[in-house]
């Protein structure tokens, strides 16, 4: 039987091509399950999963929780809205709690990059990174690629542009790694101030003209401006940002071809995309959300089957 090459999902950078293929094939099966009248399977009846969220989240938290429940796991939820969590102290407290509760798996969102790696070195539980600061968000990238595969048949050879606040985005980095692993061509597009200086070294194309980027791509993944991670002004005003990097229906209609629009959510309607784009038949934003449950079920199931051995 095939299995993942890793015991934790800490970032896409630790995965290989076969892992992604296995996750997608397993997700295909779970997608079929969650569309049945009885949406639950007993696979993880003896597994306990703790969801530790040290940062705000709506869909990622709900999606993980639903995925765990559909697999019949026991679920513990912990949320902390604090923004100034001191990494060492809080994580060690967390570790002690986890150890005493005999938890098998931890899903963690944390403001500090590397928090998942840190935890994986201190607990026996299997760790899933649900977003660590501006670093990685591996399950988001997996569900994004899964949605591209569903819409366009395959990811290999497709041209994907990631638009917006690349500098502060964990979705961008994980997507770049995942798409490249699968043989897609990746471009990033945004204001110069929101493009990391060395981004080209990751092997992506860099563009600051949105129209050119959209005319090049098959898929545009539109990112939210991460105001909560900004301590200085990166562009003169939201209005100017929208004029240069916002996608409107008029802009989409004026392109040479019909491209697919993605967004990890939450959307700031009228900033990175207008409502008529978000709600158009070119957008697969709600498919991404739906696929997120199946992809997370696959990741949890595959990691849990390694724990039992
Ligand atoms: C993203 C995140 O939290 O990194 N959202 C998500 O997980 N669905 C993107 C964002 O917050 O803009």
């Amino acid at each position: 039987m095939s299995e993942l090459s890793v015991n934790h999902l800490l970032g896409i950078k630790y995965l290989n091509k076969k892992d992604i293929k296995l996750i997608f094939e397993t997700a295909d099966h779970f997608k079929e399950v969650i569309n049945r009248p009885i949406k639950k399977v007993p696979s993880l009846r003896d597994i306990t999963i703790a969801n530790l969220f040290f940062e705000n989240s709506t869909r990622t938290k709900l999606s993980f929780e639903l995925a765990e429940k559909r697999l019949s796991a026991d679920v513990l939820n912990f949320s902390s809205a604090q923004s100034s969590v001191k990494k060492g102290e809080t994580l060690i407290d967390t570790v002690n709690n986890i150890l005493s509760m005999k938890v098998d798996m931890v899903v963690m969102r944390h403001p500090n990059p590397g928090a998942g790696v840190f935890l994986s070195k201190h607990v026996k539980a299997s760790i899933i990174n649900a977003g660590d600061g501006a670093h990685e968000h591996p399950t988001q990238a997996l569900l994004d690629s899964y949605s591209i595969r569903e819409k366009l048949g395959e990811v290999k050879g497709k041209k994907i542009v990631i638009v917006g606040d690349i500098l502060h985005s964990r979705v961008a980095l994980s997507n770049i790694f995942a798409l490249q692993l699968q043989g897609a061509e990746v471009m990033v597009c945004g204001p110069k101030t929101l493009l990391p200086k060395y981004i080209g070294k990751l092997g992506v194309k860099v563009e600051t003209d949105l129209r050119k980027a959209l005319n090049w791509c098959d898929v545009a993944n539109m990112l939210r401006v991460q105001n909560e991670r900004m301590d200085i002004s990166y562009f003169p005003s939201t209005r100017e940002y929208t004029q240069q990097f916002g996608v409107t229906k008029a802009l989409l209609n004026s392109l040479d071809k019909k491209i697919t629009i993605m967004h990890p959510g939450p959307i700031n309607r009228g900033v990175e995309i207008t409502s008529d784009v978000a709600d158009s038949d070119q957008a697969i934003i709600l498919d991404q959300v739906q696929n997120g449950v199946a992809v997370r079920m696959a990741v949890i199931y595959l990691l849990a089957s390694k724990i039992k051995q």
Side-chain angles (χ1 to χ4, degrees):
M1 204 193 89
S2 323
E3 58 171 34
L4 291 177
S5 68
V6 290
N7 295 323
H8 308 276
L9 179 61
L10 301 172
I12 300 288
K13 71 168 173 254
Y14 303 106
L15 298 183
N16 62 41
K17 223 167 142 174
K18 276 193 186 156
D19 291 328
I20 296 191
K21 190 165 177 272
L22 178 60
I23 293 169
F24 287 179
E25 284 166 2
T26 312
D28 286 341
H29 167 70
F30 286 128
K31 184 153 180 173
E32 194 254 310
V33 168
I34 57 182
N35 283 308
R36 286 183 202 157
I38 296 169
K39 303 175 177 60
K40 227 170 152 164
V41 285
S43 321
L44 299 196
R45 244 177 10 200
D46 49 350
I47 293 280
T48 305
I49 306 178
N51 298 316
L52 310 182
F53 279 71
F54 295 93
E55 222 186 45
N56 293 345
S57 171
T58 310
R59 76 219 76 226
T60 303
K61 189 164 176 293
L62 291 177
S63 179
F64 268 112
E65 196 175 335
L66 200 58
E68 292 153 5
K69 288 181 171 164
R70 297 265 194 261
L71 290 166
S72 306
D74 286 326
V75 179
L76 293 172
N77 283 309
F78 168 82
S79 291
S80 147
Q82 290 166 277
S83 57
S84 58
V85 188
K86 284 257 192 296
K87 181 175 170 181
E89 275 190 341
T90 309
L91 279 183
I92 287 170
D93 273 353
T94 310
V95 169
N96 289 332
N97 278 294
I98 291 164
L99 286 177
S100 61
M101 289 189 294
K102 307 241 182 299
V103 164
D104 302 293
M105 195 179 286
V106 173
V107 174
M108 184 170 72
R109 171 167 288 195
H110 198 280
N112 291 335
V117 174
F118 176 82
L119 198 60
S120 72
K121 290 188 177 144
H122 291 85
V123 284
K124 283 220 173 73
S126 176
I127 311 296
I128 299 180
N129 175 9
D132 58 335
H135 182 221
E136 278 227 43
H137 190 355
T139 56
Q140 180 68 45
L142 290 169
L143 76 88
D144 287 344
S145 285
Y146 185 84
S147 303
I148 294 170
R149 168 183 176 265
E150 182 179 72
K151 174 82 181 174
L152 302 178
E154 60 176 345
V155 177
K156 192 173 174 198
K158 297 294 179 293
K159 294 176 174 167
I160 323 291
V161 64
I162 307 171
V163 181
D165 184 359
I166 312 297
L167 185 65
H168 300 104
S169 175
R170 52 194 171 209
V171 177
L173 192 61
S174 287
N175 258 279
I176 291 170
F177 291 148
L179 292 166
Q180 288 180 337
L181 210 49
Q182 296 167 89
E185 278 186 73
V186 187
M187 177 187 277
V188 293
C189 175
K192 270 212 172 92
T193 50
L194 291 177
L195 298 174
K197 208 168 165 190
Y198 300 108
I199 190 79
K201 295 229 186 307
L202 291 180
V204 298
K205 294 184 194 315
V206 182
E207 181 57 73
T208 51
D209 182 326
L210 180 65
R211 175 178 287 279
K212 280 191 191 155
L214 297 182
N215 266 326
W216 170 85
C217 75
D218 300 305
V219 178
N221 195 350
M222 305 300 300
L223 302 182
R224 185 177 64 87
V225 175
Q226 309 271 303
N227 287 310
E228 72 277 24
R229 297 192 202 285
M230 295 181 185
D231 44 11
I232 56 163
S233 222
Y234 286 85
F235 45 84
S237 68
T238 303
R239 194 170 150 172
E240 190 173 313
Y241 177 85
T242 300
Q243 272 172 4
Q244 283 189 48
F245 296 100
V247 172
T248 61
K249 197 72 177 65
L251 177 55
L252 279 188
N253 291 344
S254 73
L255 300 176
D256 305 339
K257 57 182 173 189
K258 199 168 173 182
I259 63 166
T260 298
I261 299 290
M262 299 174 66
H263 196 304
I267 302 173
N268 276 328
R269 285 177 183 255
V271 180
E272 62 272 5
I273 50 175
T274 50
S275 277
D276 52 6
V277 171
D279 303 331
S280 78
D281 64 350
Q282 281 172 261
I284 57 164
I285 300 167
L286 293 179
D287 301 302
Q288 290 173 258
V289 178
Q290 202 193 96
N291 289 334
V293 178
V295 167
R296 290 183 172 114
M297 283 173 83
V299 168
I300 294 166
Y301 173 83
L302 290 166
L303 289 176
S305 52
K306 296 198 78 172
I307 297 173
K308 282 184 195 166
Q309 284 164 13

